[in-house]
Amino acid sequence: MIRKILNAGCRASTTGNMQLYSIVITRDSEMKKALAPCHFNQPMVMKAPLVLTFCADFNRFNKWCTLSNAEPGYDNFLSFVTAAIDALLVAQNVTIAAESEGLGVCYLGTTTYLAANIIEILKLPKGVVPVTTLTIGWPAEYPDQIDRLPLEAVVHQETYNDYSDEEIINFYHEKENRPDNKAYIAENNKVALAQVFTDIRYKKDDNVAFSNMLLGVLKEQGFMNQ
Ligand SMILES: Cc1cc2nc3c(=O)[nH]c(=O)nc-3n(C[C@H](O)[C@H](O)[C@H](O)COP(=O)(O)O)c2cc1C
């Protein structure tokens, strides 16, 4: 089943058909134990039978170029973004393939926070940067679907139609007033949902610190040489 899912994943479109990604499978419990702190010990890393780390990867392609007497020019930020896009498209195809088998998945955004530690644990060489992780397993429960903004909030006709204050308030009104989100705001001792994001979940200081760490990783992995 894993091969079937990964095969479906790798049918994702890829820039120039270069396949600028690698997927590292983690099933061994010792490896999961090593990875868990890199994901702030989110419990699914240990609990899910399968952990997949999706990496932007120019290492393999660069090696092929060099062996073919072709000079690779991919040690720059654009190349990282290109490879990251390829890796994320595969991850989402894997998600759909896994869900179509009845499995459940959870993305881990923590991958780009402590990427340096993941690089060490998974022995990722230069040219390889982890960009996201999927934990995959049989779902223990089937929770209600989580809300999305109305389509009109995210779709623009022909050109970007910037939002008035009134539109912003209207678009977020339903989200803010759902009973689960009201409880969530109260639990976090805040008065607005946005404050849970800015003051607790994704704080400026943390963002700046992790952003600097990621820039360091990109430099170390050879993507900031130009
Ligand atoms: C890139 C990315 C990173 C995410 N990181 C985490 C994470 O670290 N932990 C977690 O529990 N959920 C994570 N999620 C799941 C989101 O919180 C979830 O998709 C969102 O709340 C909407 O829920 P739904 O996908 O069930 O509709 C992540 C999702 C994405 C796309």
Side-chain angles (χ1 to χ4, degrees):
M1 187 182 278
I2 294 173
R3 278 195 79 83
K4 187 177 170 196
I5 290 167
L6 292 175
N7 261 322
C10 292
R11 292 310 310 173
S13 294
T14 151
T15 309
N17 204 14
M18 290 186 283
Q19 292 195 265
L20 304 169
Y21 53 81
S22 280
I23 306 158
V24 182
I25 297 179
T26 305
R27 301 172 80 181
D28 178 75
S29 60
E30 287 305 310
M31 288 300 288
K32 287 184 190 168
K33 215 180 269 176
L35 278 179
C38 306
H39 297 290
F40 305 127
N41 294 311
Q42 294 192 80
M44 49 288 216
V45 177
M46 290 305 299
K47 282 189 184 164
L50 184 62
V51 178
L52 300 179
T53 306
F54 294 84
C55 305
D57 183 353
F58 254 108
N59 174 51
R60 183 178 59 247
F61 194 77
N62 283 345
K63 283 190 161 152
W64 178 60
C65 289
T66 305
L67 286 169
S68 313
N69 199 25
E71 183 60 37
Y74 310 119
D75 53 351
N76 50 67
F77 184 64
L78 177 72
S79 297
F80 166 71
V81 173
T82 304
I85 291 170
D86 270 16
L88 294 172
L89 293 177
V90 174
Q92 185 56 19
N93 264 24
V94 165
T95 294
I96 291 168
E99 287 181 346
S100 74
E101 297 286 341
L103 290 158
V105 311
C106 189
Y107 274 98
L108 299 182
T110 35
T111 309
T112 43
Y113 287 31
L114 297 177
N117 307 46
I118 295 172
I119 285 170
E120 204 181 317
I121 293 162
L122 300 183
K123 300 191 164 85
L124 306 180
K126 260 194 190 314
V128 185
V129 175
V131 291
T132 200
T133 300
L134 279 178
T135 54
I136 304 184
W138 298 108
E141 54 186 16
Y142 294 89
D144 291 340
Q145 263 202 339
I146 295 181
D147 67 290
R148 291 292 191 268
L149 293 171
L151 207 51
E152 298 66 40
V154 296
V155 175
H156 301 261
Q157 303 289 345
E158 311 301 341
T159 59
Y160 192 101
N161 183 21
D162 204 358
Y163 306 90
S164 66
D165 290 356
E166 198 188 353
E167 281 170 330
I168 293 286
I169 288 162
N170 285 339
F171 284 145
Y172 284 88
H173 179 81
E174 192 190 320
K175 189 187 270 294
E176 292 229 55
N177 286 287
R178 285 165 51 100
D180 54 344
N181 276 333
K182 282 198 146 189
Y184 182 55
I185 296 165
E187 265 165 40
N188 284 285
N189 296 316
K190 295 289 165 192
V191 294
L193 183 60
Q195 294 169 349
V196 182
F197 287 88
T198 59
D199 301 357
I200 297 172
R201 291 190 66 184
Y202 304 101
K203 287 189 288 192
K204 183 179 168 86
D205 288 356
D206 293 345
N207 294 339
V208 171
F210 289 126
S211 178
N212 284 328
M213 283 163 71
L214 183 58
L215 285 169
V217 163
L218 295 187
K219 196 160 191 249
E220 190 60 35
Q221 295 304 90
F223 281 110
M224 302 291 266
N225 292 340
Q226 306 291 319

